[in-house]
Amino acid sequence: MTERQPFAAESPAALKVCREVETLRQLLSGPRQTGRIALVPTMGNLHDGHLSLVREARRLADTVVVSLFVNPLQFAAGEDFESYPRTLESDAQALEKEGAQLLFAPTVEEMYPAGQSRTRIDVGDIGDMLCGAHRAGHFSGMATVVCMLFNQVRPHVAVFGEKDYQQLQVIRQMVLNLHIPVSVRGVPTVREADGLAMSSRNQYLTPKQRGVAPKLHECLVEAARRVRSGGENFGRIQSDMKTELKAAGFEPDYFELRAADLSRPHADTRQLVVLAAAHLGRARLIDNLQFDSKL
Ligand code: PAF
């Protein structure tokens, strides 16, 4: 454990960093008696999107725990597990400023002492569609580590970004199906001034690709506009948007209109979400937009 400042009875900006599950449990036993605990799970390399989750967590609980763990279980072979940016010191500084109390940053050995976990969460069909169809085992690996974090921290509330819309649905379903006593809160996506959703992976973009990247969000907005103006076949809108993305230099994995629960929409479904994932150079960007088809 890295001693920064004492945990209790100090300024709200005090942050402790701990790397062991046992220490985490000890540090949380006092705060658990007196107030609510919020967990913000992250893989670090924090940006404003993450910090907006911390702000929401502070609003909802007395003690905010941020976990920082680049989880090997949710990366498929050939993905960016090794190169994923690891910036513990600057993350700790940002969290201290934001008023989080505890940063839990376990090692891979601490989380998976017997090698990788043999016990995995099976998330069912929702894990095979959209991103799951392109990232084998991703949602199972993600749900497994989130379940572990829930068991380690035992938070009253856990806060996630809506940018990872499918991830949020998978977690909500897991919590419901496994009767996990935590309330799950989603927070709207934070965007750059030109509409690009904030993501740690944006730094993989070259300056030229960064200029093109907001096109992904523009296509989501355009798809929602076309649905709202009515009379158009969803399949046609999806394929037109993929064509536009390809023309701009993206390689789309998918561009899909779905009902808010990610089922296939019917003509009269009002609460919709349009989701996209596309490669642009080294970066795989994902984004989505929730909208009401009649407004
Ligand atoms: O969204 C992420 O950063 C990760 O998928 C999460 C939820 C921290 C689990 O590793």
Side-chain angles (χ1 to χ4, degrees):
M1 183 182 70
T2 310
E3 288 292 332
R4 289 182 152 252
Q5 291 181 45
F7 190 51
E10 73 298 348
S11 81
L15 177 82
K16 273 202 164 185
V17 182
C18 103
R19 299 182 78 87
E20 298 94 23
V21 177
E22 202 37 57
T23 315
L24 170 81
R25 291 204 167 115
Q26 283 165 16
L27 287 170
L28 287 176
S29 67
R32 196 181 303 290
Q33 317 275 311
T34 53
R36 285 169 63 78
I37 295 172
L39 170 66
V40 182
T42 81
M43 297 203 301
N45 196 236
L46 305 181
H47 50 67
D48 263 4
H50 296 109
L51 300 181
S52 75
L53 307 183
V54 174
R55 270 172 234 133
E56 178 66 357
R58 283 196 65 192
R59 220 179 51 76
L60 296 169
D62 308 286
T63 300
V64 174
V65 181
V66 178
S67 64
L68 188 170
F69 181 61
V70 185
N71 172 36
L73 223 56
Q74 69 188 72
F75 287 78
E79 291 188 347
D80 57 344
F81 172 69
E82 299 295 344
S83 58
Y84 198 87
R86 287 153 170 93
T87 51
L88 178 69
E89 196 45 50
S90 56
D91 289 346
Q93 281 165 13
L95 291 173
E96 194 155 69
K97 262 201 212 134
E98 218 46 75
Q101 284 87 355
L102 181 54
L103 172 57
F104 174 50
T107 59
V108 172
E109 294 70 32
E110 178 71 7
M111 290 294 268
Y112 303 117
Q116 291 212 338
S117 170
R118 296 180 68 88
T119 305
R120 309 262 172 124
I121 303 282
D122 178 351
V123 301
D125 295 349
I126 194 175
D128 298 331
M129 59 175 77
L130 302 166
C131 278
H134 298 270
R135 303 188 68 190
H138 168 70
F139 286 112
S140 170
M142 179 283 296
T144 303
V145 85
V146 170
C147 184
M148 289 166 69
L149 290 165
F150 285 169
N151 286 331
Q152 292 161 343
V153 176
R154 294 200 289 125
H156 298 82
V157 60
V159 186
F160 297 87
E162 288 178 353
K163 176 178 162 280
D164 296 296
Y165 189 88
Q166 187 176 7
Q167 166 170 287
L168 185 54
Q169 302 310 310
V170 169
I171 292 164
R172 287 193 195 285
Q173 177 190 276
M174 172 179 79
V175 162
L176 191 72
N177 293 170
L178 301 185
H179 300 250
I180 301 177
V182 62
S183 139
V184 174
R185 184 66 68 114
V187 172
T189 303
V190 178
R191 299 182 181 281
E192 305 286 356
D194 58 11
L196 177 66
M198 287 194 184
S199 164
S200 302
R201 290 185 168 107
N202 291 350
Q203 63 197 267
Y204 299 158
L205 298 167
T206 63
K208 191 163 169 232
Q209 290 160 352
R210 176 62 189 81
V212 171
K215 182 82 186 163
L216 188 64
H217 178 240
E218 283 162 29
C219 284
L220 297 173
V221 173
E222 174 62 5
R225 188 198 63 73
R226 282 174 62 172
V227 170
R228 283 203 195 101
S229 50
E232 272 203 87
N233 177 292
F234 283 8
R236 176 66 192 269
I237 298 173
Q238 291 170 176
S239 75
D240 285 356
M241 292 302 112
K242 274 204 231 171
T243 306
E244 271 201 37
L245 286 171
K246 280 183 197 154
F250 289 85
E251 282 173 48
D253 274 351
Y254 63 82
F255 192 102
E256 289 201 31
L257 283 149
R258 294 282 175 129
D261 65 359
L262 294 182
S263 62
R264 302 258 175 212
H266 301 289
D268 57 352
T269 309
R270 279 194 63 161
Q271 298 309 317
L272 293 172
V273 55
V274 54
L275 309 103
H279 298 263
L280 186 59
R282 253 187 82 208
R284 182 177 185 275
L285 304 179
I286 63 169
D287 201 353
N288 69 84
L289 199 67
Q290 299 171 66
F291 64 101
D292 184 321
S293 61
K294 302 284 183 267
L295 293 180

